[in-house]
Amino acid sequence: GDFEITVSVAKQKNGYEIIGAEPGSVSTPAYGAAVDIGTTTVVAVLLDAETGRIVDQEGTYNKQASYGSDVISRIIYAEENENGLEALMNSIIETVNGLLEAILKRNGLNPDDVAAMVCGGNTVMTHLFLGVNPSYLRLEPYVPAAVKFPPVKAAELGVGINPDAPVYTIPSVASYVGGDITAGVFAVLPKDSDELRLFIDIGTNGELVLGNREWLVTCSCSAGPAFEGSGIKNGMRAMDGAIDWIEINPDSLEAGYRVIHGGKPLGICGSGLIDSLSEMLEAGIIDRAGKIQTTRESERIRTGPDGPEYLLVPAEESATGQDIVITEGDVKNLLRAKGAIFAGIRTMLQQVQLDVSNIESVSIAGGFGSHINITDAIRIGLLPDLPEDKYEYVGNSCIQGASIGLLSSEALEEMEELSGRMTYLELSIGNLFMDEFISALFIPHTDLSLFPSLADRS
């Protein structure tokens, strides 16, 4: 370039590292990727690193699901199979690369144009993404190999961006509260507020954070993938074609529903499943224990290949040409998922000797958070019985935090400090969580005094 060159650099703790050099003056913007590595779903966002503008985004299922639907089964697979860890790492790298490839192709960009990546994921997903042995995460005292890792070059991981681009992983808090929660709390919770706030990320693991500017406690409860559509007969992610709202006529048992972006339905996403529990109970299709009332005379209630089921959408109305149903097994899965979340909230409050009435606001994150009907979520016992104006939807808070970290090295340093400030509560110690969980396996709960607003409906 006759000594006229454009150099791309990435800031490190001890200075800068050159990741590319081109001849002449190059005005093409540098891009960065923010990635949410979820147990069930993975989301990637491409940003213009100079302006912070979101260029495009893409999401898909985590290909690791073929090795197990939850983190424990994947840890066991890595332990018990030769090259199991390598297979799991390759699977998530392949998932991320597929998303990046689709985004770059749509926007006419090359992999070399992406100069950095910031990833947030739970602790197990971060280990598997980096190819680090996660074995001790499932054994007492549940210790991760590390909660923070240095940046790794994309070429070392096999990520399809600039080979010299740094890939940062947001620090975790503990064994089952990961960088996705660190990123979410950083992005969502105010840093100088004395209000007691509850942060809930509802996914395969339900992570909870409670506190204010002076203190933060956090815990994780295994909700399973039901709210993300996995493990449900006609479940799916909150995407085009998914039913996200349901209403059932208590007399005819006919169902009304709404489909994301219209058209015929493909299946039901998490928010629709929450509605279905509430509406099925209200219509007398299920009892408080989730058992389908097969004695009711209706063509909508029947016995299918998987046992008792409720016909939500007849085949002729669906996009698949197949009936869309909610089985009794689906209901039981949903009860376990909602029971785990509520039991986690109750246990955490008891550990810090506070009552639900002390909570000033609740931030709901997660793949389907923005679609949740708060009234129905309270009615089934998923969320505490608080006034609806105390709840707010925050969307994919992990992506929000990762995007800020991508654009600001100071923000990445603040997230590292934040992860060290959160106190982790291990729910598996003692019987408190299990007692709360068993009590929460009914709609809304065995203790109806916890839901005073529902007293007239019980």
PDB file of all heavy atoms in Angstrom, residues 33 59 62 67 107 155 169 182 219 258 279 282 327 375 391 407:
ATOM      1  N   ALA A  33     -20.411  -9.253  15.972  1.00  0.00           N
ATOM      2  CA  ALA A  33     -21.542 -10.154  16.211  1.00  0.00           C
ATOM      3  C   ALA A  33     -21.761 -10.316  17.710  1.00  0.00           C
ATOM      4  O   ALA A  33     -20.805 -10.492  18.470  1.00  0.00           O
ATOM      5  CB  ALA A  33     -21.281 -11.516  15.569  1.00  0.00           C
ATOM      6  N   GLY A  59     -32.102 -16.474  14.319  1.00  0.00           N
ATOM      7  CA  GLY A  59     -32.174 -17.412  15.431  1.00  0.00           C
ATOM      8  C   GLY A  59     -32.526 -18.804  14.953  1.00  0.00           C
ATOM      9  O   GLY A  59     -33.120 -18.981  13.882  1.00  0.00           O
ATOM     10  N   ASN A  62     -30.629 -24.890  18.921  1.00  0.00           N
ATOM     11  CA  ASN A  62     -29.270 -25.351  19.204  1.00  0.00           C
ATOM     12  C   ASN A  62     -29.138 -26.805  18.752  1.00  0.00           C
ATOM     13  O   ASN A  62     -29.869 -27.679  19.209  1.00  0.00           O
ATOM     14  CB  ASN A  62     -29.002 -25.240  20.716  1.00  0.00           C
ATOM     15  CG  ASN A  62     -27.552 -25.493  21.075  1.00  0.00           C
ATOM     16  OD1 ASN A  62     -26.834 -26.189  20.358  1.00  0.00           O
ATOM     17  ND2 ASN A  62     -27.123 -24.945  22.191  1.00  0.00           N
ATOM     18  N   TYR A  67     -28.063 -34.282  21.348  1.00  0.00           N
ATOM     19  CA  TYR A  67     -27.291 -34.993  22.370  1.00  0.00           C
ATOM     20  C   TYR A  67     -27.956 -34.926  23.746  1.00  0.00           C
ATOM     21  O   TYR A  67     -27.451 -35.489  24.710  1.00  0.00           O
ATOM     22  CB  TYR A  67     -25.883 -34.410  22.468  1.00  0.00           C
ATOM     23  CG  TYR A  67     -25.105 -34.471  21.180  1.00  0.00           C
ATOM     24  CD1 TYR A  67     -24.979 -33.347  20.363  1.00  0.00           C
ATOM     25  CD2 TYR A  67     -24.509 -35.661  20.765  1.00  0.00           C
ATOM     26  CE1 TYR A  67     -24.262 -33.399  19.174  1.00  0.00           C
ATOM     27  CE2 TYR A  67     -23.796 -35.718  19.582  1.00  0.00           C
ATOM     28  CZ  TYR A  67     -23.679 -34.585  18.790  1.00  0.00           C
ATOM     29  OH  TYR A  67     -22.974 -34.649  17.609  1.00  0.00           O
ATOM     30  N   ASN A 107     -26.780  -9.893   3.563  1.00  0.00           N
ATOM     31  CA  ASN A 107     -26.319  -8.514   3.527  1.00  0.00           C
ATOM     32  C   ASN A 107     -25.106  -8.296   2.633  1.00  0.00           C
ATOM     33  O   ASN A 107     -24.507  -7.212   2.662  1.00  0.00           O
ATOM     34  CB  ASN A 107     -26.011  -8.050   4.952  1.00  0.00           C
ATOM     35  CG  ASN A 107     -27.256  -7.961   5.809  1.00  0.00           C
ATOM     36  OD1 ASN A 107     -27.966  -6.960   5.777  1.00  0.00           O
ATOM     37  ND2 ASN A 107     -27.567  -9.012   6.559  1.00  0.00           N
ATOM     38  N   ALA A 155     -10.366 -18.205  14.773  1.00  0.00           N
ATOM     39  CA  ALA A 155      -9.787 -19.351  14.053  1.00  0.00           C
ATOM     40  C   ALA A 155      -9.572 -20.533  14.996  1.00  0.00           C
ATOM     41  O   ALA A 155      -9.707 -21.694  14.592  1.00  0.00           O
ATOM     42  CB  ALA A 155      -8.472 -18.953  13.398  1.00  0.00           C
ATOM     43  N   THR A 169     -16.336 -14.141  25.764  1.00  0.00           N
ATOM     44  CA  THR A 169     -17.466 -14.765  26.454  1.00  0.00           C
ATOM     45  C   THR A 169     -17.705 -13.993  27.753  1.00  0.00           C
ATOM     46  O   THR A 169     -16.774 -13.764  28.515  1.00  0.00           O
ATOM     47  CB  THR A 169     -17.196 -16.244  26.767  1.00  0.00           C
ATOM     48  OG1 THR A 169     -15.925 -16.380  27.398  1.00  0.00           O
ATOM     49  CG2 THR A 169     -17.230 -17.078  25.498  1.00  0.00           C
ATOM     50  N   THR A 182     -25.498 -12.358  33.524  1.00  0.00           N
ATOM     51  CA  THR A 182     -24.650 -11.192  33.753  1.00  0.00           C
ATOM     52  C   THR A 182     -24.961 -10.106  32.730  1.00  0.00           C
ATOM     53  O   THR A 182     -25.134  -8.932  33.079  1.00  0.00           O
ATOM     54  CB  THR A 182     -23.162 -11.577  33.663  1.00  0.00           C
ATOM     55  OG1 THR A 182     -22.877 -12.610  34.606  1.00  0.00           O
ATOM     56  CG2 THR A 182     -22.267 -10.380  33.942  1.00  0.00           C
ATOM     57  N   CYS A 219     -30.149 -17.227  41.634  1.00  0.00           N
ATOM     58  CA  CYS A 219     -30.261 -18.681  41.683  1.00  0.00           C
ATOM     59  C   CYS A 219     -30.754 -19.187  40.338  1.00  0.00           C
ATOM     60  O   CYS A 219     -31.154 -18.404  39.471  1.00  0.00           O
ATOM     61  CB  CYS A 219     -31.202 -19.139  42.808  1.00  0.00           C
ATOM     62  SG  CYS A 219     -32.934 -18.705  42.531  1.00  0.00           S
ATOM     63  N   ARG A 258     -54.507 -16.657  18.263  1.00  0.00           N
ATOM     64  CA  ARG A 258     -53.797 -15.677  17.432  1.00  0.00           C
ATOM     65  C   ARG A 258     -52.483 -16.288  16.979  1.00  0.00           C
ATOM     66  O   ARG A 258     -51.803 -16.963  17.757  1.00  0.00           O
ATOM     67  CB  ARG A 258     -53.538 -14.406  18.235  1.00  0.00           C
ATOM     68  CG  ARG A 258     -52.815 -13.297  17.459  1.00  0.00           C
ATOM     69  CD  ARG A 258     -52.614 -12.082  18.348  1.00  0.00           C
ATOM     70  NE  ARG A 258     -51.727 -12.386  19.472  1.00  0.00           N
ATOM     71  CZ  ARG A 258     -51.691 -11.683  20.590  1.00  0.00           C
ATOM     72  NH1 ARG A 258     -52.504 -10.670  20.769  1.00  0.00           N
ATOM     73  NH2 ARG A 258     -50.834 -12.014  21.555  1.00  0.00           N
ATOM     74  N   GLU A 279     -56.667 -21.102  30.328  1.00  0.00           N
ATOM     75  CA  GLU A 279     -57.970 -21.232  29.679  1.00  0.00           C
ATOM     76  C   GLU A 279     -58.563 -22.630  29.856  1.00  0.00           C
ATOM     77  O   GLU A 279     -59.770 -22.787  30.032  1.00  0.00           O
ATOM     78  CB  GLU A 279     -57.841 -20.896  28.185  1.00  0.00           C
ATOM     79  CG  GLU A 279     -57.573 -19.431  27.896  1.00  0.00           C
ATOM     80  CD  GLU A 279     -58.761 -18.544  28.233  1.00  0.00           C
ATOM     81  OE1 GLU A 279     -59.882 -18.886  27.836  1.00  0.00           O
ATOM     82  OE2 GLU A 279     -58.562 -17.513  28.906  1.00  0.00           O
ATOM     83  N   GLU A 282     -59.941 -22.751  33.318  1.00  0.00           N
ATOM     84  CA  GLU A 282     -61.140 -21.917  33.397  1.00  0.00           C
ATOM     85  C   GLU A 282     -62.338 -22.595  32.742  1.00  0.00           C
ATOM     86  O   GLU A 282     -63.469 -22.486  33.216  1.00  0.00           O
ATOM     87  CB  GLU A 282     -60.856 -20.568  32.720  1.00  0.00           C
ATOM     88  CG  GLU A 282     -61.898 -19.501  32.968  1.00  0.00           C
ATOM     89  CD  GLU A 282     -61.691 -18.799  34.291  1.00  0.00           C
ATOM     90  OE1 GLU A 282     -60.761 -19.143  35.026  1.00  0.00           O
ATOM     91  OE2 GLU A 282     -62.486 -17.901  34.605  1.00  0.00           O
ATOM     92  N   THR A 327     -51.684 -32.283  24.965  1.00  0.00           N
ATOM     93  CA  THR A 327     -51.879 -33.554  25.646  1.00  0.00           C
ATOM     94  C   THR A 327     -51.751 -33.375  27.163  1.00  0.00           C
ATOM     95  O   THR A 327     -51.234 -32.366  27.642  1.00  0.00           O
ATOM     96  CB  THR A 327     -50.843 -34.597  25.190  1.00  0.00           C
ATOM     97  OG1 THR A 327     -49.541 -34.222  25.685  1.00  0.00           O
ATOM     98  CG2 THR A 327     -50.797 -34.697  23.660  1.00  0.00           C
ATOM     99  N   THR A 375     -51.643 -11.671  33.183  1.00  0.00           N
ATOM    100  CA  THR A 375     -52.816 -12.156  33.909  1.00  0.00           C
ATOM    101  C   THR A 375     -52.849 -13.671  33.949  1.00  0.00           C
ATOM    102  O   THR A 375     -53.055 -14.287  35.009  1.00  0.00           O
ATOM    103  CB  THR A 375     -54.116 -11.627  33.256  1.00  0.00           C
ATOM    104  OG1 THR A 375     -54.089 -10.202  33.257  1.00  0.00           O
ATOM    105  CG2 THR A 375     -55.346 -12.108  34.016  1.00  0.00           C
ATOM    106  N   TYR A 391     -44.800  -5.266  36.399  1.00  0.00           N
ATOM    107  CA  TYR A 391     -44.095  -6.139  35.461  1.00  0.00           C
ATOM    108  C   TYR A 391     -43.688  -5.356  34.214  1.00  0.00           C
ATOM    109  O   TYR A 391     -44.420  -4.486  33.743  1.00  0.00           O
ATOM    110  CB  TYR A 391     -44.992  -7.311  35.046  1.00  0.00           C
ATOM    111  CG  TYR A 391     -45.173  -8.353  36.126  1.00  0.00           C
ATOM    112  CD1 TYR A 391     -46.229  -8.279  37.033  1.00  0.00           C
ATOM    113  CD2 TYR A 391     -44.291  -9.419  36.252  1.00  0.00           C
ATOM    114  CE1 TYR A 391     -46.400  -9.238  38.023  1.00  0.00           C
ATOM    115  CE2 TYR A 391     -44.452 -10.379  37.241  1.00  0.00           C
ATOM    116  CZ  TYR A 391     -45.511 -10.280  38.116  1.00  0.00           C
ATOM    117  OH  TYR A 391     -45.662 -11.232  39.091  1.00  0.00           O
ATOM    118  N   LEU A 407     -19.658  -3.124  21.739  1.00  0.00           N
ATOM    119  CA  LEU A 407     -19.382  -1.741  21.360  1.00  0.00           C
ATOM    120  C   LEU A 407     -18.538  -1.005  22.397  1.00  0.00           C
ATOM    121  O   LEU A 407     -18.050   0.084  22.122  1.00  0.00           O
ATOM    122  CB  LEU A 407     -20.700  -0.987  21.153  1.00  0.00           C
ATOM    123  CG  LEU A 407     -21.650  -1.587  20.104  1.00  0.00           C
ATOM    124  CD1 LEU A 407     -22.991  -0.886  20.145  1.00  0.00           C
ATOM    125  CD2 LEU A 407     -21.031  -1.497  18.715  1.00  0.00           C
TER     126      LEU A 407
END
